[in-house]
Amino acid sequence: MLFSAQDYAAFNLHNCNVVNLNFNFWVATALETHLEYGIKGGDDDTDEITRRKQVFGSNTHSKPPSKGFFYFVVQAFRDVTILILLLCAALSLGFGIKEHGIKEGWYDGGSIFVAVFIVISLSSISNFRQNRQFDKLSQVSNDIQIDVVRSGKRQNISIFEIVVGDVICLKIGDQVPADGLFIEGHSLKVDESSMTGESDHVEISIQHHPFLFSGTKVADGYAKMLVTSVGMNTTWGQMMSSISRDINEQTPLQERLNKLTSSIGKVGLAVAFLVLVVLLVRYFTGNTKNEKGAREFNGSKTKFDDIMNAVVGIVADAVTIVVVAIPEGLPLAVTLTLAYSMKKMMADQAMVRKLSACETMGSATTICTDKTGILTLNQMKVTKFWLGLEPVLESAYTNVTPFVLQLIKEGVALNTTGSVQKSNKSGCEFEFSGSPTEKAILSWAVSELNMEMENLTRSCSIIHVESGVLLRRNADNTINAHWKGAAEMVLKLCSRYYDASGIVKNLDSNNMMKFEHIIQGMAASSLRCIAFAHAEVAEEEVGDEEGSTMVKVKENGLTLVGLVGIKDPCRPEVKNAVEACQHAGVNIKMITGDNVFTAKAIATECGILQPNQDTIGAVIEGEEFRNYTPEERLERVDKICVMARSSPFDKLIMVQCLKQKGHVVAVTGDGTNDAPALKEADIGLSMGIQGTEVAKESSDIVILDDNFASVVTVLRWGRCVYNNIQKFIQFQLTVNVAALAINFVAAVSAGEVPLTAVQLLWVNLIMDTLGALALATEKPTMELMDQPPVGRTKPLITNVMWRNLLAQALYQIAVLLTLQFKGESIFGVTSGVNDTLIFNTFVLCQIFNEFNARKMEKRNVFKEIHRSKLFLSIIGITIILQVVMVEFLKKFADTERLNWGQWAICIGLAAISWPIGWVVKLIPVSEKPLLSFLRMKN
């Protein structure tokens, strides 16, 4: 019978003073599990899993409740822009009712309240949905896969499916998925900093410290553990229940936009105050006249109510100026752009964990990438086998001396973190687990050498494991050491070698050179070269500390048994992806642990190095880079294309150097040791398939398919996000500059504003919201990769944007002021129809200018517009709403109906925006930011 939840809570393992194998066996028996075969829980036996979840709980953590919709409504009301609009609405409503009565006086103030309601609703809904999306993304990112033994079979399951009694297989980089006991393993060290805050790794062993805690990370070694508590019953679970992730982080771009909005608001307030002063001076000096041509203010003869009504009207005009100055649609545009981009990037195999990465990636100037699994397929296969100085063909394996073959099999089977199991699947006899290199070697040994791993494992007992393995054979009680690793490193430890006949020969300098040529030849063919070495150990050499025994073995020299070459072919799409990055002005640097020859071969195959390129300074080893002085690193880092034999520390130093040089650096990584570089980089990109949990936690974006082509897609999306927001800023500022200038000039010169608060809110909010949606959802194009990266210093509003928006704004100001002062006489219309012509022309100018905003530098603004169905739909909706506004909402919008001729005039005047946009783009602009010229003059 299984423990009840109460019994289990009372069963405190931490009070045990002596923990040994008997204790592990007793715990396993109590939990109805087996230390070697695990629980009964195969594909056809889910009842046992369900029962354990019911008794002990599931391996999930309860989270604080998600923020409700009302929370985001309250947050929206805290926005300074919203508070200013609410104040304006209250003033306008009060003044409007006082001047025109409640029946018609509520229009302006009421419309501002409606606008505020729309802003708050859209903002709250968007943030609420974004919050839900982050919860889903968090659930995906926390769904780690881990190896578990059930019914004697090793299988890969979700961390959420682990139950009490499971036997878990841990390796370097894994997150410990639950609390439990160490069963067996070697050199296991765990990073418990997440629990204790201590940075030193804790050594886990049966004798001294057998406890493993959920949430900690495996820093070294491998092991099996018995799960004793899951989910909220773990120490980590109790800690996590009190932690909530703040998803309302502001991105750097959003901070810059907030500053821009604030600056525009200040300008608007200053202009509004100036208008208020001017209009008050005009009124009280008798320079304003009523509809009959009489002076409005005649000193003491003017009634107090008339003075108050006039002052209220003037204040209402000033409020209108403030309303037009505030770009209400700007924050919404950013939210729409980021939300849309995040969703689309997920479909393109990139899961965004931090919002800032969306836009920062568009500014990247350098990408530091791993080789295995990103540039290559990570589908390794042994293609070369050397015994001594002679290659061995597949057909000649049977001619190899059985003694030497036995040593190779022993070295493969016992010095590995992988495993071999018989498969139940049709079409394959065995299933292999472990790293790609381990799986390739195990597959080769089983299929080509007929290795029986289970028999070999039982025939020996392992004494010690580090870079090699020290074992005792059960048959003859002899002690042997096996080494396996990078060929050039293992070769340095060898003083002898076996030939194909099993004869031991001295590894003199001449033979050493021959082996080095063999290794270099395989590396030049893009093969990863792995060497096997062996040494017999006398009983008296085995001391109390097995580690010291291994040191003595290395000092005495090993015997080289054989070499294998493992092929990991480049991904077919990588070469084009690398070329695309280079064309876009982004430097690609490959940082790998492979030797120089393999690194060169792969880099050339991928296009990082050119076939005839001078590699002096472009290809270096990590040790060489490490030994440079800080000044030498900064001087040479730009030229480096490939760094071979590098450590994670070398990668970190390179990222720091590149950032010091002013680069925006993206780093790809999949291992635990990559975490420092991923955190240090401006954008950390971890791998979704091969990446460890530590790497994913340290990254900003997870590449779900481990493919470098997806990194390029992320780069293109990043540029698209930045570009779309710039398009909208150009579009929005054109509206604000034109409206502010028109109302200011008209108010100062004529004493009245041609565009009412309702009309301006319609242009500024409804139209710009639709404009944001249209421009923010433009998909990335290959043209984005023709531009150099933005980098760190390029201004948000470029000279090209200033050129475009000022040209359009000046045209609109000229046309609308002409209509304001001469429209009635030119077209022979009443003042009401003339005001409607001004409003309608202004709105239609923005609709036509929206096409210009699609392409900030290209003259053909209609290119591929048939693919932008959403853009065309929004333009259609905007036109329909404008027709309704003019023709059917006369009282609310303060408009008059227009005939077909008048509509044609409005459309004709607005359409001139297109040829103006075309001509303006012929004008060259300086690359130097506009503000820098102003600083120089100052």
Side-chain angles (χ1 to χ4, degrees):
M1 189 71 184
L2 288 170
F3 287 137
S4 67
Q6 291 80 4
D7 292 337
Y8 186 70
F11 181 63
N12 188 351
L13 295 177
H14 299 271
N15 293 329
C16 300
N17 296 320
V18 180
V19 180
N20 51 35
L21 287 171
N22 290 334
F23 181 75
N24 282 351
F25 177 77
W26 183 82
V27 173
T29 304
L31 295 175
E32 292 188 1
T33 188
H34 193 281
L35 292 175
E36 185 176 353
Y37 302 115
I39 62 173
K40 293 179 181 178
D43 296 334
D44 301 325
D45 189 1
T46 57
D47 292 342
E48 180 69 13
I49 308 299
T50 304
R51 187 159 66 100
R52 287 175 183 268
K53 284 184 179 180
Q54 290 173 349
V55 175
F56 298 106
S58 63
N59 197 34
T60 54
H61 301 137
S62 61
K63 299 178 181 178
S66 295
K67 296 180 176 71
F69 179 72
F70 182 71
Y71 169 84
F72 295 103
V73 172
V74 173
Q75 289 297 110
F77 269 109
R78 292 181 179 177
D79 191 306
V80 177
T81 304
I82 296 297
L83 294 176
I84 293 173
L85 283 173
L86 284 173
L87 178 63
C88 292
L91 291 171
S92 184
L93 189 64
F95 296 152
I97 291 173
K98 179 172 176 52
E99 186 175 357
H100 302 291
I102 195 164
K103 190 174 181 181
E104 295 183 359
W106 68 271
Y107 289 152
D108 284 357
S111 65
I112 300 175
F113 275 119
V114 170
V116 169
F117 173 77
I118 292 170
V119 169
I120 289 174
S121 299
L122 290 173
S123 176
S124 302
I125 291 168
S126 177
N127 288 332
F128 177 66
R129 291 184 64 184
Q130 183 181 315
N131 181 62
R132 289 293 178 89
Q133 186 178 11
F134 263 96
D135 285 343
K136 290 178 182 177
L137 290 176
S138 176
Q139 188 172 359
V140 173
S141 66
N142 291 331
D143 189 6
I144 311 158
Q145 298 296 307
I146 198 145
D147 286 343
V148 62
V149 178
R150 288 181 178 173
S151 301
K153 184 179 178 181
R154 189 163 167 171
Q155 48 191 283
N156 197 253
I157 65 168
S158 166
I159 193 173
F160 300 131
E161 294 302 314
I162 290 170
V163 294
V164 169
D166 264 329
V167 174
I168 306 295
C169 301
L170 299 173
K171 60 184 183 297
I172 293 177
D174 281 345
Q175 176 178 307
V176 179
D179 285 1
L181 287 171
F182 176 89
I183 300 173
E184 63 178 11
H186 295 282
S187 306
L188 185 67
K189 291 185 179 179
V190 175
D191 178 6
E192 293 186 353
S193 58
S194 58
M195 300 288 296
T196 64
E198 297 293 333
S199 58
D200 292 339
H201 295 160
V202 178
E203 189 170 346
I204 306 295
S205 65
I206 289 178
Q207 293 80 11
H208 305 297
H209 186 66
F211 305 112
L212 288 155
F213 301 105
S214 174
T216 58
K217 311 292 189 302
V218 178
D220 193 15
Y222 63 93
K224 285 184 179 180
M225 69 169 281
L226 173 65
V227 176
T228 56
S229 57
V230 294
M232 295 308 298
N233 292 325
T234 64
T235 310
W236 180 256
Q238 295 297 325
M239 186 189 301
M240 288 297 289
S241 65
S242 62
I243 296 175
S244 61
R245 180 183 293 177
D246 182 17
I247 58 92
N248 293 318
E249 58 174 328
Q250 278 204 329
T251 72
L253 183 59
Q254 283 176 313
E255 289 175 358
R256 291 168 76 184
L257 285 171
N258 286 341
K259 289 179 183 177
L260 178 64
T261 305
S262 175
S263 300
I264 295 170
K266 289 174 183 176
V267 171
L269 285 170
V271 172
F273 180 74
L274 185 61
V275 167
L276 180 66
V277 171
V278 169
L279 291 182
L280 286 173
V281 169
R282 281 173 58 88
Y283 176 76
F284 286 110
T285 55
N287 288 319
T288 56
K289 297 179 181 181
N290 57 24
E291 294 175 356
K292 297 178 182 179
R295 292 172 59 180
E296 289 186 342
F297 181 75
N298 291 305
S300 59
K301 296 179 182 179
T302 308
K303 295 179 181 178
F304 179 76
D305 280 352
D306 292 337
I307 295 174
M308 282 303 300
N309 287 337
V311 170
V312 165
I314 291 170
V315 173
D317 289 342
V319 168
T320 303
I321 296 285
V322 176
V323 170
V324 73
I326 298 171
E328 296 89 353
L330 206 51
L332 189 61
V334 179
T335 305
L336 286 170
T337 304
L338 292 175
Y340 175 82
S341 301
M342 283 179 65
K343 186 176 179 181
K344 290 295 182 182
M345 286 170 76
M346 190 74 174
D348 283 343
Q349 304 298 317
M351 185 183 75
V352 179
R353 297 182 75 249
K354 293 181 182 177
L355 266 178
S356 57
C358 282
E359 66 219 29
T360 312
M361 191 65 191
S363 308
T365 59
T366 304
I367 299 175
C368 298
T369 178
D370 280 337
K371 175 184 75 70
T372 305
I374 303 172
L375 300 177
T376 59
L377 286 168
N378 208 18
Q379 296 174 358
M380 296 186 174
K381 182 180 179 182
V382 174
T383 58
K384 295 282 185 182
F385 177 35
W386 288 70
L387 272 178
L389 297 169
E390 300 295 330
V392 181
L393 301 176
E394 289 185 23
S395 57
Y397 286 169
T398 53
N399 299 332
V400 178
T401 304
F403 168 70
V404 176
L405 275 184
Q406 184 63 23
L407 285 178
I408 292 173
K409 291 177 186 177
E410 204 172 71
V412 171
L414 300 170
N415 191 13
T416 183
T417 55
S419 66
V420 180
Q421 293 173 352
K422 289 188 177 180
S423 175
N424 296 327
K425 298 176 183 177
S426 59
C428 55
E429 188 179 352
F430 296 97
E431 287 183 8
F432 303 95
S433 62
S435 69
T437 303
E438 295 286 358
K439 288 197 283 188
I441 294 172
L442 288 170
S443 174
W444 167 74
V446 169
S447 59
E448 302 297 338
L449 305 184
N450 299 317
M451 181 186 79
E452 295 181 359
M453 187 161 177
E454 191 174 344
N455 293 339
L456 284 168
T457 306
R458 289 177 178 174
S459 67
C460 302
S461 56
I462 296 174
I463 300 172
H464 182 72
V465 175
E466 46 179 57
S467 53
V469 59
L470 188 67
L471 56 89
R472 186 187 297 274
R473 290 177 183 157
N474 297 334
D476 55 12
N477 214 33
T478 57
I479 299 173
N480 294 264
H482 283 279
W483 250 262
K484 179 184 71 180
E488 64 270 26
M489 307 302 287
V490 174
L491 188 65
K492 292 176 183 177
L493 304 175
C494 297
S495 57
R496 298 168 297 279
Y497 71 94
Y498 286 104
D499 65 9
S501 304
I503 299 171
V504 178
K505 295 184 178 180
N506 286 330
L507 194 56
D508 55 27
S509 58
N510 185 41
N511 286 331
M512 179 71 79
M513 192 177 297
K514 290 179 181 177
F515 274 111
E516 286 174 354
H517 282 308
I518 291 169
I519 293 167
Q520 290 172 14
M522 282 201 272
S525 302
S526 306
L527 296 180
R528 174 177 287 184
C529 196
I530 303 293
F532 298 95
H534 166 260
E536 290 188 9
V537 182
E539 187 73 42
E540 57 271 16
E541 290 183 16
V542 180
D544 295 332
E545 291 293 330
E546 291 85 358
S548 63
T549 303
M550 300 295 273
V551 172
K552 290 178 186 176
V553 171
K554 286 190 283 186
E555 289 174 352
N556 294 337
L558 304 171
T559 304
L560 185 67
V561 180
L563 303 169
V564 292
I566 303 174
K567 180 73 173 177
D568 186 11
C570 281
R571 292 180 181 269
E573 63 274 19
V574 160
K575 191 174 178 68
N576 290 336
V578 169
E579 287 176 358
C581 286
Q582 292 169 339
H583 178 70
V586 180
N587 296 317
I588 308 295
K589 299 184 186 294
M590 187 177 85
I591 304 174
T592 177
D594 283 340
N595 64 44
V596 171
F597 302 99
T598 305
K600 272 187 188 177
I602 293 293
T604 304
E605 193 175 341
C606 294
I608 295 172
L609 291 175
Q610 301 307 312
N612 300 319
Q613 182 177 341
D614 180 13
T615 58
I616 297 174
V619 180
I620 66 168
E621 289 194 346
E623 186 178 0
E624 181 184 352
F625 182 73
R626 203 180 312 140
N627 293 332
Y628 285 157
T629 64
E631 293 76 20
E632 287 175 328
R633 287 186 199 134
L634 288 173
E635 182 184 339
R636 302 179 187 182
V637 71
D638 282 331
K639 190 179 179 183
I640 297 170
C641 297
V642 176
M643 186 157 68
R645 282 285 166 236
S646 62
S647 69
F649 182 65
D650 299 328
K651 196 173 189 176
L652 177 62
I653 294 174
M654 176 168 275
V655 172
Q656 290 170 340
C657 287
L658 288 166
K659 288 179 72 176
Q660 284 179 42
K661 292 275 283 187
H663 291 278
V664 178
V665 187
V667 167
T668 67
D670 56 6
T672 302
N673 293 332
D674 291 324
L678 288 168
K679 283 185 177 179
E680 181 68 26
D682 295 290
I683 315 102
L685 300 152
S686 64
M687 301 301 112
I689 300 172
Q690 293 295 329
T692 63
E693 179 59 19
V694 184
K696 291 177 187 175
E697 284 185 1
S698 304
S699 66
D700 306 304
I701 297 174
V702 180
I703 304 299
L704 300 176
D705 61 355
D706 289 16
N707 192 344
F708 189 80
S710 296
V711 176
V712 181
T713 304
V714 172
L715 177 64
R716 195 159 58 244
W717 266 111
R719 292 189 172 194
C720 181
V721 168
Y722 196 89
N723 190 248
N724 284 350
I725 291 172
Q726 282 188 313
K727 289 176 187 176
F728 179 72
I729 290 171
Q730 176 185 299
F731 174 70
Q732 170 88 61
L733 290 185
T734 304
V735 177
N736 286 90
V737 169
L740 198 61
I742 293 159
N743 272 17
F744 174 71
V745 172
V748 170
S749 59
E752 60 182 9
V753 289
L755 298 170
T756 66
V758 176
Q759 292 170 350
L760 287 170
L761 277 170
W762 159 243
V763 175
N764 232 20
L765 176 66
I766 311 301
M767 259 201 60
D768 287 356
T769 301
L770 293 172
L773 190 61
L775 295 171
T777 53
E778 287 275 323
K779 295 179 181 178
T781 62
M782 292 309 296
E783 290 176 0
L784 292 168
M785 304 298 277
D786 294 334
Q787 302 294 328
V790 174
R792 293 187 184 276
T793 56
K794 197 170 182 181
L796 183 61
I797 305 177
T798 64
N799 290 353
V800 168
M801 293 167 66
W802 282 119
R803 177 195 66 189
N804 296 344
L805 77 87
L806 288 175
Q808 295 293 338
L810 288 172
Y811 168 69
Q812 291 175 21
I813 291 167
V815 168
L816 298 181
L817 287 179
T818 301
L819 289 174
Q820 169 70 17
F821 295 111
K822 298 292 182 180
E824 292 179 34
S825 59
I826 292 172
F827 300 111
V829 294
T830 63
S831 62
V833 172
N834 191 56
D835 286 344
T836 305
L837 284 173
I838 293 172
F839 169 57
N840 201 34
T841 303
F842 185 57
V843 171
L844 291 174
C845 277
Q846 312 320 320
I847 293 173
F848 279 86
N849 191 37
E850 203 163 337
F851 287 86
N852 290 328
R854 285 188 72 240
K855 307 286 181 182
M856 289 190 290
E857 296 189 61
K858 300 288 183 182
R859 290 191 291 276
N860 182 8
V861 296
F862 305 107
K863 186 178 180 182
E864 295 183 344
I865 198 166
H866 61 283
R867 295 183 180 179
S868 302
K869 294 180 181 176
L870 184 60
F871 180 88
L872 293 173
S873 300
I874 290 170
I875 292 293
I877 291 168
T878 309
I879 292 170
I880 292 168
L881 289 174
Q882 176 62 15
V883 171
V884 170
M885 195 81 170
V886 171
E887 299 294 328
F888 302 104
L889 297 177
K890 179 181 176 181
K891 285 190 175 181
F892 181 75
D894 198 15
T895 57
E896 298 286 343
R897 285 195 168 188
L898 302 178
N899 58 39
W900 288 105
Q902 290 161 346
W903 269 99
I905 290 167
C906 294
I907 293 170
L909 290 171
I912 296 174
S913 298
W914 283 350
I916 287 174
W918 191 90
V919 170
V920 162
K921 287 171 185 175
L922 293 171
I923 302 171
V925 292
S926 172
E927 290 292 328
K928 201 165 188 178
L930 185 64
L931 293 177
S932 65
F933 288 107
L934 298 176
R935 292 193 196 101
M936 285 172 64
K937 287 179 182 178
N938 290 334

